[in-house]
Amino acid sequence: MPDARYRRRRWALRIELWALGLSLALTSCATVPPNPVAVTPPVVTWEEKLGWILRLEDQRILRDPNPPPPVILAPATKGRPAIVAPPPPSDLLRLIADQEARTRRRAALAAGRVGLPEAIPALQQALGDSEVEVRQMAAFALGLIGDPSARPALLAALKDSDPVVQGRGAEALGTIGDKTDAPAIAAMVKGLIQGGALTNVAADDLAWPLAPPVEATRLGLYALVRLGSYDGIASSVLDANGAPVSTWWPVAYALGRSGDARAVPALIALLPTPGRFTAAFAARGLGALKAPNAATALRDIVTRRQRDPAIVIEAVRALAAIRDTASRPIFEKILAEGEGDSTLRLEAANALAAMHSSDSLDFVIDLMSDTAPAIRAAAIRALAAIDAETFLTTLSGADPDRDWTVRVAQAEALATLPGAQGGTRLVSMLEDRDQRVVPAVLRALVAAKASDAQRILTDRLKADDFVVRETAAAGLAEMKVAGAVPALVDAYRATEGDSTYVARAAILTALNTLEPATARPILQQALQDKDWALRIKAATLLRDQGVTDTATAMRPAPVRPMDEATRQYLVTPQFSPHAFIQTDRGAIEIELAVADAPYTVANFIDLAHKGFFNGIAIHRVVPDFVVQDGDPRGDGEGSPGYTIRDELNELPYLRGTVGMALDWKDTGSSQFFITHSPQPHLDARYTVFGRVVNGIEVVDRIQPWDVIRRIQIWDGTTLR
């Protein structure tokens, strides 16, 4: 890596100059008896330390495997030991004990991102650091590593003098996932709440960070959610009568994701909360818990439509999850308003499809000619669920839909029909003119257990489209077609020229499922694949076989070349750059978090400068969740042909947070998303690299297939 060579050359030059000066000093004093010589080594700057930290973090290693050796500046003489220059600080574990607190904090984060258990002792030691921010980050980093051996130290951190350290300790324990830790976390949260942590916090307060006790309460509640502990949540946020002690939205979030029907009364009590987020989370939770006794209140919200649109949408989804038949006329009324809210109409269509009510048959047939492709797709799914015969008859008399996403919905609907009713139609769809439809057809053939599916899937392993090959491999694994192993091996060899990991990963997974012994040497070889994402997949599959010694073989991670100007910018950013996204609905301004996710920000800026995003349609919009873009294919599978490493950080997913989309760990590239509302389940799992500072109302207005016209970057001097 040019950056590493530059650093080593620069350090070597400094050592040489130091050695030269020392040599001249010793020579000039050659006639003086050899007394002890006081030598001040060269000062290692913060920027130099950060440069090493960033490089080691990106390579997913704790120390440089080939550090420059110590330099002997003066040999040992009688009465004086040799003078040796120390090597540069190319070891994260050493840097966690650095003299500077900011170095210790940043090295701790890097060690967590590297993810090796070898760093746990150093991080546990850092939990006793004199600086609060170092202790906080050490706890966070231990959560990123996720090793159970850190639990005792993290449980002790729940009693730290600083509330945020307590919260980060709870967060880490929640990530590790040992349910026996829930009582200790609940006791921490309860103590904070009883101490008044939430007394003056408004229901919709999205500020971050709030006061330390409030932040610790938030993190503790999230941890209890991850541990699936309703008892822990209830003991913390419900009073003796079962009523919520606070209307702050994280309380509704925690109760709604508890998975326990005992949370229903409290969620119903939170539903009328003024504002947006608490009520929306309450409605979402009632749907997740399928609470029929909440149907009346939810129907009232949808009928009146006087609450925030997000609350109405969550109420529609909840009623669909409950299968509340009394809501059917309400949904039909919304859909009949042809020029009404397009987002709400789509939610109503999806809800109607979930009902499977024969009373809606004629209405659904009419929807199949709606002008909105998403409505037609929902109608197709609904009709197939209500009446298979009418569905097939309707399809036989209609031309293929002009929109590829509707044809995908058709394939998915055909897969749900009993027996082999959809088989013939599915086979004909394999010749669709848009390759993005074919993967859905292949999945449908597998789901329908079509008689010719094995042959079709094996043949499609040779397809030009990498997503078709990915889907074919996954289908063969799902069908347990052991005879496909030779074809899969050949297909894997043919994918070595792919720019993306997608097909290779699917084939490796299929081989591991069908014939682990054959897969093992290929997986071992994949530990040195050109793409780090595939190395991670291979290591995961080998662990499934009981092979655990993969850490050394797969490291260091391959890194992309970086010019000196970019490297210097990442190490010493002068300000946070801003991105201006021009869309069909207006402009969105994003402040990019260069200090928290430097490589992710640099990648985003590079793609923007190259015009990568220009003209790309927004392929995913989930109201009250996210808007997602950055996919040139439009089906969620596109990328620039490379991946970048995750840079998980402490920034939470709130309204307007910008994050990097993933398939699995370290598979980010160009696809990014913007949240409509808080999404705590994404925290520390997807890289946060920005936040909307202007134009959040534009984010709310965006519809599927709106287009990003261009993205410009303000670098403090110019906008380009």
Side-chain angles (χ1 to χ4, degrees):
M1 180 178 178
D3 179 40
R5 290 197 298 271
Y6 171 86
R7 283 291 184 183
R8 284 195 286 267
R9 285 198 303 270
R10 184 175 175 183
W11 182 264
L13 178 60
R14 291 177 65 192
I15 294 296
E16 289 173 8
L17 292 174
W18 184 35
L20 177 60
L22 181 61
S23 175
L24 291 173
L26 291 175
T27 301
S28 65
C29 301
T31 59
V32 178
N35 294 322
V37 178
V39 178
T40 302
V43 175
V44 182
T45 66
W46 155 249
E47 290 76 17
E48 287 177 306
K49 295 173 186 176
L50 183 57
W52 281 99
I53 289 170
L54 288 173
R55 184 179 66 81
L56 294 171
E57 175 183 282
D58 194 36
Q59 290 183 293
R60 291 298 191 250
I61 53 178
L62 292 172
R63 60 181 61 85
D64 196 327
N66 299 300
V71 178
I72 298 177
L73 302 176
T77 61
K78 185 177 180 180
R80 183 177 62 215
I83 300 175
V84 180
S90 55
D91 186 327
L92 293 179
L93 303 187
R94 285 176 51 205
L95 291 169
I96 292 174
D98 191 81
Q99 292 182 346
E100 280 191 294
R102 60 178 174 175
T103 301
R104 299 197 299 274
R105 178 186 181 278
R106 189 58 183 82
L109 174 60
R113 289 174 174 174
V114 169
L116 292 173
E118 183 185 349
I120 290 175
L123 291 170
Q124 288 175 325
Q125 186 71 25
L127 285 175
D129 197 278
S130 60
E131 293 290 337
V132 168
E133 289 195 358
V134 177
R135 301 203 301 277
Q136 292 176 12
M137 189 57 75
F140 180 76
L142 287 167
L144 294 184
I145 295 173
D147 193 283
S149 65
R151 285 179 53 240
L154 290 167
L155 286 167
L158 297 180
K159 299 179 181 179
D160 191 273
S161 59
D162 179 74
V164 180
V165 176
Q166 299 173 25
R168 291 298 176 192
E171 177 184 45
L173 290 166
T175 301
I176 292 171
D178 191 313
K179 295 182 184 298
T180 63
D181 295 333
I185 297 172
M188 180 204 82
V189 175
K190 185 175 182 179
L192 290 166
I193 292 176
Q194 289 179 340
L198 303 186
T199 300
N200 297 314
V201 182
D204 273 4
D205 196 334
L206 292 181
W208 185 86
L210 290 167
V214 183
E215 287 302 310
T217 300
R218 176 179 66 85
L219 292 169
L221 286 174
Y222 295 172
L224 292 170
V225 169
R226 291 189 176 184
L227 294 176
S229 175
Y230 169 78
D231 289 333
I233 296 168
S235 68
S236 303
V237 302
L238 302 183
D239 64 19
N241 298 317
V245 299
S246 169
T247 59
W248 191 33
W249 62 265
V251 172
Y253 165 81
L255 289 165
R257 292 183 70 93
S258 66
D260 195 300
R262 289 177 290 172
V264 168
L267 289 168
I268 292 176
L270 289 168
L271 196 57
T273 303
R276 168 178 175 171
F277 302 112
T278 298
F281 276 119
R284 186 186 301 180
L286 290 166
L289 295 172
K290 295 181 171 55
N293 52 331
T296 300
L298 293 166
R299 280 199 304 272
D300 184 67
I301 289 172
V302 179
T303 301
R304 292 174 178 272
R305 283 183 257 171
Q306 294 177 345
R307 304 292 299 273
D308 187 282
I311 302 172
V312 177
I313 285 170
E314 293 294 354
V316 169
R317 292 171 180 165
L319 289 166
I322 297 168
R323 297 282 182 91
D324 179 57
T325 57
S327 300
R328 181 182 58 79
I330 303 174
F331 299 150
E332 291 182 357
K333 182 177 184 297
I334 292 171
L335 285 161
E337 300 169 358
E339 300 302 320
D341 183 337
S342 58
T343 298
L344 184 59
R345 288 188 75 238
L346 178 56
E347 292 295 335
N350 290 331
L352 205 61
M355 295 288 186
H356 299 176
S357 173
S358 58
D359 293 334
S360 296
L361 181 61
D362 292 339
F363 191 87
V364 167
I365 291 173
D366 289 341
L367 286 180
M368 292 183 68
S369 59
D370 195 274
T371 57
I375 299 290
R376 298 199 300 275
I380 283 173
R381 296 186 183 97
L383 185 56
I386 294 170
D387 190 320
E389 184 176 344
T390 302
F391 171 61
L392 289 171
T393 301
T394 304
L395 285 185
S396 65
D399 293 330
D401 195 279
R402 61 188 179 277
D403 190 283
W404 70 272
T405 62
V406 181
R407 302 198 297 277
V408 166
Q410 178 182 314
E412 294 169 348
L414 287 166
T416 66
L417 301 184
Q421 294 183 68
T424 302
R425 185 91 183 188
L426 285 168
V427 171
S428 69
M429 291 182 69
L430 288 169
E431 304 307 318
D432 194 281
R433 61 185 179 275
D434 194 318
Q435 283 296 291
R436 293 173 295 182
V437 176
V438 176
V441 177
L442 295 178
R443 288 191 292 269
L445 287 167
V446 173
K449 297 180 172 57
S451 58
D452 209 19
Q454 178 178 337
R455 179 193 62 78
I456 292 170
L457 293 170
T458 304
D459 181 63
R460 295 290 167 150
L461 288 173
K462 301 175 183 178
D464 292 334
D465 187 84
F466 67 88
V467 183
V468 173
R469 285 182 272 127
E470 171 201 25
T471 309
L476 289 167
E478 184 176 342
M479 294 180 67
K480 301 291 191 295
V481 184
V485 168
L488 286 164
V489 172
D490 290 342
Y492 182 77
R493 291 170 181 159
T495 64
E496 292 179 355
D498 282 4
S499 61
T500 176
Y501 61 86
V502 172
R504 299 203 302 284
I507 294 170
L508 285 179
T509 303
L511 285 170
N512 192 64
T513 299
L514 298 174
E515 201 168 284
T518 299
R520 182 172 295 191
I522 302 175
L523 291 171
Q524 294 282 7
Q525 180 184 2
L527 291 175
Q528 285 296 307
D529 190 86
K530 60 186 179 181
D531 198 316
W532 174 249
L534 195 74
R535 297 189 190 189
I536 291 177
K537 175 63 71 173
T540 301
L541 295 173
L542 284 167
R543 280 196 292 273
D544 292 343
Q545 293 192 25
V547 179
T548 58
D549 56 342
T550 59
T552 301
M554 65 189 295
R555 286 175 167 81
V559 296
R560 300 180 67 218
M562 180 180 296
D563 60 65
E564 175 58 20
T566 302
R567 182 204 63 77
Q568 190 63 37
Y569 172 72
L570 296 183
V571 171
T572 56
Q574 300 302 309
F575 60 93
S576 293
H578 284 223
F580 292 83
I581 304 177
Q582 303 295 334
T583 77
D584 290 338
R585 307 281 173 174
I588 304 166
E589 181 184 356
I590 293 171
E591 182 182 22
L592 298 171
V594 67
D596 296 280
Y599 281 108
T600 308
V601 168
N603 175 69
F604 184 83
I605 291 174
D606 181 55
L607 291 172
H609 283 163
K610 291 177 179 177
F612 178 88
F613 300 107
N614 299 354
I616 292 182
I618 294 169
H619 69 280
R620 186 182 184 213
V621 178
V622 183
D624 200 37
F625 182 37
V626 298
V627 168
Q628 187 168 327
D629 191 68
D631 174 17
R633 286 176 60 98
D635 61 354
E637 298 287 355
S639 75
Y642 62 82
T643 58
I644 59 174
R645 244 68 77 210
D646 296 340
E647 293 179 295
L648 303 181
N649 52 60
E650 295 177 305
L651 300 177
Y653 277 94
L654 300 171
R655 175 162 161 79
T657 302
V658 185
M660 181 59 63
L662 299 174
D663 277 338
W664 58 82
K665 182 179 179 181
D666 289 346
T667 54
S669 57
S670 61
Q671 291 194 44
F672 67 97
F673 59 89
I674 304 173
T675 55
H676 287 132
S677 59
Q679 303 297 330
H681 65 289
L682 305 180
D683 290 358
R685 294 185 176 182
Y686 294 80
T687 300
V688 173
F689 70 98
R691 66 185 181 95
V692 174
V693 291
N694 282 301
I696 191 63
E697 71 283 353
V698 176
V699 177
D700 290 338
R701 290 198 299 264
I702 284 176
Q703 298 292 314
W705 312 114
D706 285 348
V707 173
I708 286 183
R709 298 305 173 184
R710 64 176 177 173
I711 296 181
Q712 294 176 289
I713 305 297
W714 171 254
D715 62 5
T717 305
T718 59
L719 179 68
R720 67 183 181 95

